[in-house]
């Protein structure tokens, strides 16, 4: 249609204020934190139910006696 002459369409630029950008950034950061928190919660539930194996850090946090080298 309009790109038949070999030119690529140029993206339109929209001016936003600093306040608009900061509000957008806060919203994106909040969404990211919520997504990470949900993933961590699900991981903890999966570990507790035994559906997924623990990595070394998780094993140390949940069962530190495994790493106890002291002989009683």
């Amino acid at each position: 249609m309009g790109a038949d002459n070999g030119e690529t369409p140029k993206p339109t630029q929209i001016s936003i204020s600093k306040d608009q950008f900061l509000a957008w950034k806060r919203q994106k950061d909040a969404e990211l934190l919520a997504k990470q928190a949900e993933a961590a919660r699900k991981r903890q539930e999966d570990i507790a139910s035994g559906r997924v194996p623990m990595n070394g850090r998780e094993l140390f946090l949940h069962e530190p006696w495994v790493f106890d080298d002291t002989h009683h």
Side-chain angles (χ1 to χ4, degrees):
M1 294 237 195
D4 291 341
N5 58 4
E7 292 182 20
T8 58
K10 294 184 175 140
T12 57
Q13 293 183 354
I14 300 172
S15 292
I16 62 170
S17 70
K18 184 177 179 180
D19 291 335
Q20 289 173 319
F21 171 76
L22 292 175
W24 171 83
K25 180 69 172 149
R26 279 192 297 273
Q27 179 184 358
K28 286 295 182 183
D29 289 345
E31 289 172 2
L32 179 63
L33 286 175
K35 189 175 185 180
Q36 289 173 339
E38 176 63 21
R41 184 195 60 76
K42 183 174 181 335
R43 174 89 180 156
Q44 290 300 322
E45 286 179 2
D46 289 346
I47 288 172
S49 68
R51 285 183 279 206
V52 296
M54 288 187 260
N55 64 29
R57 176 181 289 186
E58 293 161 341
L59 183 61
F60 181 75
L61 291 173
H62 292 285
E63 299 177 12
W65 58 267
V66 173
F67 299 95
D68 187 10
D69 289 339
T70 60
H71 299 266
H72 294 338

